[in-house]
Amino acid sequence: MGYLLRLLCVCALGVLPAVGCGDDAATLAPELFGTWVSTYTELNGMRSDDCLTDCARVTFNADGTYVIVVPTCLPERGEGTWSTRGSILTLTRLRAGPDADNLQPLDPPRITTFGWSVSGDTLAMSVPGTTFYWSKESTDEDAGLTELWRW
């Protein structure tokens, strides 16, 4: 049950509502560059099962683009742009589909905001009541997206 709940939470990354941000200029936080692998989720203080295989991956590129691949939950891939303003991470999903060859433009784009922090090799992305934890897989700014994400 916990694993199913975790999968549903990860799949919801593209459909959560946007939250307002301060007046700071948007930037790209270099500590996010690279590929991160989903490790677990906390929902209302309860930790879900750890992800052991076929875990979601997100790559934040230095050019302000990102790719997220969720191999479970009806496989999904999303691509778009990202930026940070202080402790707020904004993802703007521009295209989505089951894989790299079947992406469709989203009109309007889906904007999702998270609170975020990095501690060592762990990224925490939070929305009210839920925190997603990711482990650093690659520090490469552009982690070979053609090879890595072509499923």
Side-chain angles (χ1 to χ4, degrees):
M1 178 74 172
Y3 184 71
L4 178 61
L5 180 60
R6 184 179 164 282
L7 289 176
L8 292 174
C9 290
V10 170
C11 291
L13 286 175
V15 296
L16 295 171
V19 200
C21 302
D23 293 331
D24 301 322
T27 61
L28 299 177
E31 56 265 49
L32 292 177
F33 295 169
T35 300
W36 300 83
V37 180
S38 174
T39 53
Y40 67 96
T41 302
E42 285 183 1
L43 180 62
N44 294 322
M46 296 185 63
R47 182 176 167 153
S48 70
D49 295 332
D50 291 346
C51 183
L52 301 175
T53 61
D54 294 330
C55 303
R57 285 180 164 69
V58 62
T59 298
F60 295 104
N61 296 306
D63 66 358
T65 62
Y66 80 94
V67 175
I68 186 166
V69 175
V70 182
T72 53
C73 191
L74 303 173
E76 182 180 357
R77 176 188 174 102
E79 296 181 355
T81 60
W82 70 278
S83 65
T84 57
R85 287 185 179 180
S87 63
I88 301 296
L89 168 65
T90 301
L91 303 181
T92 302
R93 190 177 292 206
L94 302 173
R95 302 183 324 153
D99 55 49
D101 295 323
N102 295 293
L103 293 172
Q104 298 297 315
L106 298 175
D107 186 22
R110 295 202 179 109
I111 300 171
T112 309
T113 59
F114 299 89
W116 73 277
S117 64
V118 172
S119 177
D121 287 341
T122 301
L123 166 63
M125 296 170 48
S126 301
V127 293
T130 305
T131 302
F132 304 96
Y133 291 92
W134 305 78
S135 178
K136 189 76 167 231
E137 180 178 75
S138 166
T139 57
D140 190 348
E141 291 179 0
D142 297 298
L145 293 178
T146 303
E147 295 79 24
L148 182 62
W149 298 110
R150 203 155 234 359
W151 294 0

